[in-house]
CSV table of all heavy atoms in Angstrom, one decimal:
chain,number,residue,atom,x,y,z
J,1,PRO,N,0.8,-1.2,0.0
J,1,PRO,CA,0.0,0.0,0.0
J,1,PRO,C,0.9,1.3,0.0
J,1,PRO,O,2.0,1.2,0.4
J,1,PRO,CB,-0.8,-0.1,1.3
J,1,PRO,CG,0.0,-1.0,2.2
J,1,PRO,CD,0.7,-2.0,1.3
J,2,VAL,N,0.3,2.3,-0.5
J,2,VAL,CA,1.1,3.6,-0.7
J,2,VAL,C,1.5,4.2,0.7
J,2,VAL,O,2.5,4.9,0.7
J,2,VAL,CB,0.3,4.6,-1.4
J,2,VAL,CG1,0.1,4.2,-2.9
J,2,VAL,CG2,-1.1,4.9,-0.8
J,3,ASP,N,0.9,3.8,1.8
J,3,ASP,CA,1.3,4.4,3.0
J,3,ASP,C,2.5,3.6,3.7
J,3,ASP,O,3.0,3.9,4.7
J,3,ASP,CB,0.1,4.5,4.0
J,3,ASP,CG,-0.4,3.1,4.4
J,3,ASP,OD1,0.1,2.0,3.9
J,3,ASP,OD2,-1.4,3.0,5.2
J,4,GLY,N,2.9,2.5,3.0
J,4,GLY,CA,4.0,1.7,3.5
J,4,GLY,C,3.7,0.8,4.6
J,4,GLY,O,4.6,0.2,5.2
J,5,GLY,N,2.5,0.8,5.0
J,5,GLY,CA,2.1,0.0,6.2
J,5,GLY,C,1.8,-1.5,5.9
J,5,GLY,O,2.3,-2.0,4.8
J,6,GLU,N,1.1,-2.1,6.7
J,6,GLU,CA,0.7,-3.5,6.6
J,6,GLU,C,-0.2,-3.7,5.3
J,6,GLU,O,-0.8,-2.8,4.9
J,6,GLU,CB,0.0,-4.0,7.8
J,6,GLU,CG,0.8,-4.0,9.1
J,6,GLU,CD,2.0,-5.1,9.0
J,6,GLU,OE1,1.7,-6.2,8.5
J,6,GLU,OE2,3.1,-4.7,9.3
J,7,PRO,N,-0.2,-4.9,4.8
J,7,PRO,CA,-1.1,-5.2,3.6
J,7,PRO,C,-2.5,-4.7,4.0
J,7,PRO,O,-3.0,-4.9,5.1
J,7,PRO,CB,-1.0,-6.7,3.5
J,7,PRO,CG,0.4,-7.1,4.0
J,7,PRO,CD,0.6,-6.1,5.1
J,8,ILE,N,-3.2,-4.2,2.9
J,8,ILE,CA,-4.6,-3.8,3.1
J,8,ILE,C,-5.5,-4.6,2.3
J,8,ILE,O,-5.2,-4.9,1.1
J,8,ILE,CB,-4.7,-2.2,2.7
J,8,ILE,CG1,-6.1,-1.7,3.1
J,8,ILE,CG2,-4.3,-2.0,1.3
J,8,ILE,CD1,-6.2,-0.2,2.9
J,9,SER,N,-6.7,-5.0,2.8
J,9,SER,CA,-7.7,-5.7,2.1
J,9,SER,C,-8.9,-4.9,1.8
J,9,SER,O,-9.2,-4.0,2.6
J,9,SER,CB,-8.1,-7.0,2.9
J,9,SER,OG,-8.8,-6.7,4.1
J,10,ILE,N,-9.4,-5.1,0.7
J,10,ILE,CA,-10.6,-4.2,0.2
J,10,ILE,C,-11.6,-5.1,-0.5
J,10,ILE,O,-11.2,-6.0,-1.3
J,10,ILE,CB,-10.1,-3.1,-0.7
J,10,ILE,CG1,-9.0,-2.3,-0.1
J,10,ILE,CG2,-11.3,-2.2,-1.2
J,10,ILE,CD1,-8.3,-1.4,-1.1
J,11,PHE,N,-12.9,-4.9,-0.1
J,11,PHE,CA,-14.0,-5.6,-0.8
J,11,PHE,C,-14.9,-4.6,-1.5
J,11,PHE,O,-14.8,-3.4,-1.2
J,11,PHE,CB,-14.7,-6.6,0.1
J,11,PHE,CG,-15.6,-5.9,1.1
J,11,PHE,CD1,-16.9,-5.8,0.9
J,11,PHE,CD2,-15.0,-5.4,2.3
J,11,PHE,CE1,-17.7,-5.2,1.9
J,11,PHE,CE2,-15.8,-4.8,3.3
J,11,PHE,CZ,-17.2,-4.7,3.0
J,12,GLU,N,-15.8,-5.1,-2.4
J,12,GLU,CA,-16.6,-4.3,-3.2
J,12,GLU,C,-15.9,-3.7,-4.4
J,12,GLU,O,-14.9,-2.9,-4.2
J,12,GLU,CB,-17.3,-3.2,-2.4
J,12,GLU,CG,-18.5,-3.6,-1.5
J,12,GLU,CD,-19.7,-4.2,-2.3
J,12,GLU,OE1,-19.9,-3.7,-3.4
J,12,GLU,OE2,-20.2,-5.2,-1.8
J,13,SER,N,-16.3,-4.0,-5.6
J,13,SER,CA,-15.6,-3.7,-6.8
J,13,SER,C,-15.4,-2.2,-7.0
J,13,SER,O,-14.4,-1.7,-7.5
J,13,SER,CB,-16.3,-4.3,-8.0
J,13,SER,OG,-17.6,-3.8,-8.1
J,14,GLY,N,-16.5,-1.4,-6.6
J,14,GLY,CA,-16.3,0.0,-6.7
J,14,GLY,C,-15.2,0.6,-5.9
J,14,GLY,O,-14.5,1.5,-6.3
J,15,ALA,N,-15.2,0.1,-4.6
J,15,ALA,CA,-14.2,0.6,-3.7
J,15,ALA,C,-12.8,0.2,-4.2
J,15,ALA,O,-11.8,0.9,-4.0
J,15,ALA,CB,-14.5,0.0,-2.3
J,16,ILE,N,-12.7,-1.0,-4.7
J,16,ILE,CA,-11.4,-1.5,-5.2
J,16,ILE,C,-10.9,-0.6,-6.4
J,16,ILE,O,-9.7,-0.2,-6.4
J,16,ILE,CB,-11.5,-3.0,-5.7
J,16,ILE,CG1,-11.8,-3.9,-4.5
J,16,ILE,CG2,-10.2,-3.5,-6.4
J,16,ILE,CD1,-12.2,-5.3,-4.9
J,17,LEU,N,-11.8,-0.3,-7.3
J,17,LEU,CA,-11.5,0.5,-8.4
J,17,LEU,C,-11.0,1.9,-8.0
J,17,LEU,O,-10.0,2.5,-8.5
J,17,LEU,CB,-12.6,0.7,-9.4
J,17,LEU,CG,-13.0,-0.5,-10.2
J,17,LEU,CD1,-14.3,-0.3,-11.0
J,17,LEU,CD2,-11.8,-0.9,-11.2
J,18,LEU,N,-11.7,2.5,-7.0
J,18,LEU,CA,-11.3,3.8,-6.5
J,18,LEU,C,-9.9,3.7,-5.8
J,18,LEU,O,-9.1,4.6,-6.0
J,18,LEU,CB,-12.3,4.3,-5.5
J,18,LEU,CG,-13.6,5.0,-6.1
J,18,LEU,CD1,-14.6,5.2,-5.0
J,18,LEU,CD2,-13.2,6.3,-6.7
J,19,TYR,N,-9.7,2.7,-5.0
J,19,TYR,CA,-8.5,2.5,-4.3
J,19,TYR,C,-7.3,2.4,-5.3
J,19,TYR,O,-6.3,3.1,-5.2
J,19,TYR,CB,-8.5,1.3,-3.4
J,19,TYR,CG,-7.1,1.0,-2.8
J,19,TYR,CD1,-6.7,1.6,-1.7
J,19,TYR,CD2,-6.4,0.0,-3.4
J,19,TYR,CE1,-5.4,1.3,-1.2
J,19,TYR,CE2,-5.1,-0.3,-2.9
J,19,TYR,CZ,-4.6,0.4,-1.8
J,19,TYR,OH,-3.4,0.1,-1.3
J,20,LEU,N,-7.5,1.6,-6.3
J,20,LEU,CA,-6.4,1.3,-7.3
J,20,LEU,C,-6.1,2.6,-8.1
J,20,LEU,O,-5.0,2.9,-8.4
J,20,LEU,CB,-6.7,0.2,-8.1
J,20,LEU,CG,-6.8,-1.2,-7.5
J,20,LEU,CD1,-7.3,-2.3,-8.4
J,20,LEU,CD2,-5.4,-1.6,-6.9
J,21,ALA,N,-7.2,3.3,-8.5
J,21,ALA,CA,-7.0,4.5,-9.3
J,21,ALA,C,-6.2,5.5,-8.5
J,21,ALA,O,-5.3,6.2,-9.0
J,21,ALA,CB,-8.3,5.1,-9.7
J,22,LYS,N,-6.5,5.7,-7.2
J,22,LYS,CA,-5.8,6.6,-6.3
J,22,LYS,C,-4.4,6.2,-6.0
J,22,LYS,O,-3.5,7.0,-5.9
J,22,LYS,CB,-6.6,6.8,-5.0
J,22,LYS,CG,-7.9,7.6,-5.2
J,22,LYS,CD,-8.6,7.8,-3.9
J,22,LYS,CE,-9.8,8.7,-4.1
J,22,LYS,NZ,-9.5,10.1,-4.4
J,23,LYS,N,-4.2,4.9,-6.0
J,23,LYS,CA,-2.9,4.3,-5.7
J,23,LYS,C,-1.9,4.7,-6.8
J,23,LYS,O,-0.8,5.1,-6.5
J,23,LYS,CB,-3.0,2.8,-5.6
J,23,LYS,CG,-1.6,2.1,-5.5
J,23,LYS,CD,-1.8,0.6,-5.4
J,23,LYS,CE,-0.5,-0.2,-5.4
J,23,LYS,NZ,0.2,-0.2,-4.2
J,24,ILE,N,-2.4,4.7,-8.1
J,24,ILE,CA,-1.4,4.9,-9.2
J,24,ILE,C,-1.7,6.2,-9.9
J,24,ILE,O,-1.0,6.6,-10.9
J,24,ILE,CB,-1.5,3.8,-10.2
J,24,ILE,CG1,-2.9,3.7,-10.9
J,24,ILE,CG2,-1.1,2.4,-9.6
J,24,ILE,CD1,-2.9,2.8,-12.1
J,25,ASN,N,-2.7,7.0,-9.4
J,25,ASN,CA,-3.0,8.3,-10.0
J,25,ASN,C,-3.3,8.2,-11.5
J,25,ASN,O,-2.8,9.0,-12.3
J,25,ASN,CB,-1.9,9.3,-9.7
J,25,ASN,CG,-1.8,9.7,-8.3
J,25,ASN,OD1,-2.7,9.9,-7.6
J,25,ASN,ND2,-0.5,9.6,-7.8
J,26,GLN,N,-4.1,7.2,-11.8
J,26,GLN,CA,-4.6,7.0,-13.2
J,26,GLN,C,-6.1,6.7,-13.2
J,26,GLN,O,-6.6,6.1,-12.2
J,26,GLN,CB,-3.8,5.9,-13.9
J,26,GLN,CG,-2.4,6.2,-14.2
J,26,GLN,CD,-1.7,5.1,-15.0
J,26,GLN,OE1,-2.2,4.7,-16.1
J,26,GLN,NE2,-0.6,4.6,-14.5
J,27,PHE,N,-6.7,7.0,-14.3
J,27,PHE,CA,-8.1,6.6,-14.6
J,27,PHE,C,-9.1,7.3,-13.6
J,27,PHE,O,-10.2,6.8,-13.5
J,27,PHE,CB,-8.3,5.1,-14.5
J,27,PHE,CG,-7.3,4.4,-15.4
J,27,PHE,CD1,-6.4,3.5,-14.9
J,27,PHE,CD2,-7.2,4.6,-16.8
J,27,PHE,CE1,-5.4,2.8,-15.7
J,27,PHE,CE2,-6.3,3.9,-17.6
J,27,PHE,CZ,-5.4,3.0,-17.0
J,28,LEU,N,-8.6,8.3,-12.9
J,28,LEU,CA,-9.5,9.1,-12.1
J,28,LEU,C,-9.0,10.6,-12.1
J,28,LEU,O,-7.8,10.7,-11.6
J,28,LEU,CB,-9.6,8.6,-10.7
J,28,LEU,CG,-10.5,9.3,-9.7
J,28,LEU,CD1,-12.0,9.2,-10.1
J,28,LEU,CD2,-10.3,8.8,-8.3
J,29,PRO,N,-9.7,11.5,-12.6
J,29,PRO,CA,-9.2,12.9,-12.6
J,29,PRO,C,-8.9,13.4,-11.3
J,29,PRO,O,-9.4,13.0,-10.2
J,29,PRO,CB,-10.3,13.7,-13.3
J,29,PRO,CG,-11.2,12.7,-14.0
J,29,PRO,CD,-11.0,11.4,-13.2
J,30,THR,N,-7.9,14.3,-11.2
J,30,THR,CA,-7.5,14.9,-9.9
J,30,THR,C,-8.2,16.2,-9.6
J,30,THR,O,-8.3,16.6,-8.5
J,30,THR,CB,-6.0,15.2,-10.0
J,30,THR,OG1,-5.7,16.0,-11.1
J,30,THR,CG2,-5.2,13.9,-10.1
J,31,ASP,N,-8.8,16.8,-10.6
J,31,ASP,CA,-9.7,18.0,-10.4
J,31,ASP,C,-11.0,17.6,-9.9
J,31,ASP,O,-11.5,16.5,-10.3
J,31,ASP,CB,-9.8,18.9,-11.6
J,31,ASP,CG,-10.6,18.2,-12.7
J,31,ASP,OD1,-10.1,17.3,-13.3
J,31,ASP,OD2,-11.8,18.6,-12.9
J,32,ILE,N,-11.7,18.4,-9.0
J,32,ILE,CA,-12.9,18.0,-8.3
J,32,ILE,C,-14.0,17.8,-9.3
J,32,ILE,O,-14.8,16.8,-9.1
J,32,ILE,CB,-13.3,19.1,-7.3
J,32,ILE,CG1,-14.5,18.6,-6.5
J,32,ILE,CG2,-13.6,20.4,-7.9
J,32,ILE,CD1,-14.2,17.3,-5.7
J,33,ARG,N,-14.1,18.6,-10.4
J,33,ARG,CA,-15.2,18.4,-11.3
J,33,ARG,C,-15.1,17.1,-12.1
J,33,ARG,O,-16.1,16.4,-12.3
J,33,ARG,CB,-15.3,19.6,-12.2
J,33,ARG,CG,-15.7,20.8,-11.5
J,33,ARG,CD,-15.8,22.1,-12.4
J,33,ARG,NE,-16.0,23.3,-11.7
J,33,ARG,CZ,-17.2,23.8,-11.3
J,33,ARG,NH1,-18.3,23.2,-11.7
J,33,ARG,NH2,-17.3,24.9,-10.6
J,34,GLY,N,-13.9,16.9,-12.6
J,34,GLY,CA,-13.6,15.6,-13.3
J,34,GLY,C,-13.8,14.4,-12.4
J,34,GLY,O,-14.3,13.4,-12.8
J,35,GLU,N,-13.3,14.5,-11.2
J,35,GLU,CA,-13.4,13.4,-10.3
J,35,GLU,C,-14.9,13.1,-10.0
J,35,GLU,O,-15.3,11.9,-10.0
J,35,GLU,CB,-12.7,13.7,-8.9
J,35,GLU,CG,-12.8,12.5,-7.9
J,35,GLU,CD,-12.1,12.8,-6.6
J,35,GLU,OE1,-11.5,13.9,-6.5
J,35,GLU,OE2,-12.1,11.9,-5.8
J,36,MET,N,-15.7,14.1,-9.8
J,36,MET,CA,-17.1,13.9,-9.5
J,36,MET,C,-17.9,13.3,-10.7
J,36,MET,O,-18.8,12.6,-10.5
J,36,MET,CB,-17.8,15.2,-9.0
J,36,MET,CG,-17.4,15.6,-7.6
J,36,MET,SD,-17.8,14.4,-6.4
J,36,MET,CE,-16.2,13.6,-6.0
J,37,GLU,N,-17.4,13.7,-11.9
J,37,GLU,CA,-18.0,13.1,-13.1
J,37,GLU,C,-17.9,11.6,-13.1
J,37,GLU,O,-18.8,10.9,-13.4
J,37,GLU,CB,-17.4,13.7,-14.3
J,37,GLU,CG,-18.0,13.3,-15.7
J,37,GLU,CD,-19.4,14.0,-15.9
J,37,GLU,OE1,-19.8,14.9,-15.2
J,37,GLU,OE2,-20.1,13.5,-16.9
J,38,VAL,N,-16.6,11.2,-12.8
J,38,VAL,CA,-16.4,9.7,-12.8
J,38,VAL,C,-17.1,9.1,-11.6
J,38,VAL,O,-17.7,8.0,-11.8
J,38,VAL,CB,-14.8,9.5,-12.6
J,38,VAL,CG1,-14.6,8.0,-12.4
J,38,VAL,CG2,-14.1,10.0,-13.9
J,39,MET,N,-17.1,9.7,-10.5
J,39,MET,CA,-17.7,9.1,-9.3
J,39,MET,C,-19.3,8.9,-9.5
J,39,MET,O,-19.8,7.9,-9.1
J,39,MET,CB,-17.5,10.0,-8.1
J,39,MET,CG,-16.1,10.1,-7.6
J,39,MET,SD,-15.5,8.7,-6.7
J,39,MET,CE,-16.1,9.2,-5.0
J,40,GLN,N,-19.9,9.9,-10.1
J,40,GLN,CA,-21.3,9.8,-10.4
J,40,GLN,C,-21.6,8.6,-11.2
J,40,GLN,O,-22.6,7.8,-10.8
J,40,GLN,CB,-21.9,11.0,-11.1
J,40,GLN,CG,-21.9,12.3,-10.3
J,40,GLN,CD,-22.4,13.5,-11.1
J,40,GLN,OE1,-23.5,14.0,-10.9
J,40,GLN,NE2,-21.5,14.0,-12.0
J,41,TRP,N,-20.9,8.4,-12.2
J,41,TRP,CA,-21.2,7.2,-13.1
J,41,TRP,C,-20.7,5.9,-12.5
J,41,TRP,O,-21.3,4.8,-12.7
J,41,TRP,CB,-20.5,7.4,-14.5
J,41,TRP,CG,-21.3,8.5,-15.3
J,41,TRP,CD1,-20.9,9.8,-15.5
J,41,TRP,CD2,-22.6,8.3,-15.9
J,41,TRP,NE1,-21.9,10.4,-16.2
J,41,TRP,CE2,-22.9,9.6,-16.4
J,41,TRP,CE3,-23.4,7.3,-16.0
J,41,TRP,CZ2,-24.1,9.8,-17.1
J,41,TRP,CZ3,-24.6,7.5,-16.6
J,41,TRP,CH2,-25.0,8.7,-17.2
J,42,LEU,N,-19.7,5.9,-11.7
J,42,LEU,CA,-19.3,4.7,-11.0
J,42,LEU,C,-20.4,4.3,-10.0
J,42,LEU,O,-20.8,3.1,-9.9
J,42,LEU,CB,-18.0,5.0,-10.2
J,42,LEU,CG,-17.5,3.8,-9.4
J,42,LEU,CD1,-17.2,2.6,-10.2
J,42,LEU,CD2,-16.3,4.2,-8.5
J,43,PHE,N,-20.9,5.3,-9.3
J,43,PHE,CA,-22.0,4.9,-8.3
J,43,PHE,C,-23.3,4.6,-9.0
J,43,PHE,O,-24.1,3.8,-8.6
J,43,PHE,CB,-22.2,6.1,-7.4
J,43,PHE,CG,-21.3,6.1,-6.2
J,43,PHE,CD1,-20.0,6.6,-6.3
J,43,PHE,CD2,-21.6,5.5,-5.0
J,43,PHE,CE1,-19.1,6.6,-5.3
J,43,PHE,CE2,-20.7,5.5,-3.9
J,43,PHE,CZ,-19.4,6.0,-4.1
J,44,TRP,N,-23.5,5.2,-10.2
J,44,TRP,CA,-24.6,4.8,-11.1
J,44,TRP,C,-24.6,3.3,-11.4
J,44,TRP,O,-25.6,2.6,-11.4
J,44,TRP,CB,-24.7,5.7,-12.3
J,44,TRP,CG,-25.7,5.3,-13.3
J,44,TRP,CD1,-27.0,5.7,-13.3
J,44,TRP,CD2,-25.5,4.6,-14.5
J,44,TRP,NE1,-27.7,5.2,-14.4
J,44,TRP,CE2,-26.8,4.5,-15.2
J,44,TRP,CE3,-24.4,3.9,-15.1
J,44,TRP,CZ2,-27.0,3.8,-16.4
J,44,TRP,CZ3,-24.6,3.2,-16.3
J,44,TRP,CH2,-25.8,3.2,-17.0
C-alpha cells in the first residue's frame, strides 16, 4: 500500500477501483469536477 504499512484488504468492486486509481493516480481525474463526473457514473 502507498502508506508503506501492513497489507490492506478491500472488498466491493467500486471501492477496489477507487483505491487502485488513487494508488497509481490514473483513470480518475485529480480536479474536483472531473473526479465527481467519474464518481457519479461509478455509483450509477
Side-chain angles (χ1 to χ4, degrees):
V2 292
D3 64 2
E6 294 295 315
I8 184 172
S9 65
I10 304 164
F11 70 100
E12 285 294 326
S13 59
I16 295 168
L17 288 173
L18 280 171
Y19 171 81
L20 293 173
K22 288 180 176 292
K23 175 184 173 75
I24 65 169
N25 293 315
Q26 290 186 53
F27 309 117
L28 181 66
T30 55
D31 67 287
I32 186 62
R33 294 177 187 273
E35 181 181 359
M36 287 302 104
E37 184 76 8
V38 171
M39 294 280 277
Q40 289 177 106
W41 288 104
L42 177 63
F43 278 83
W44 174 81

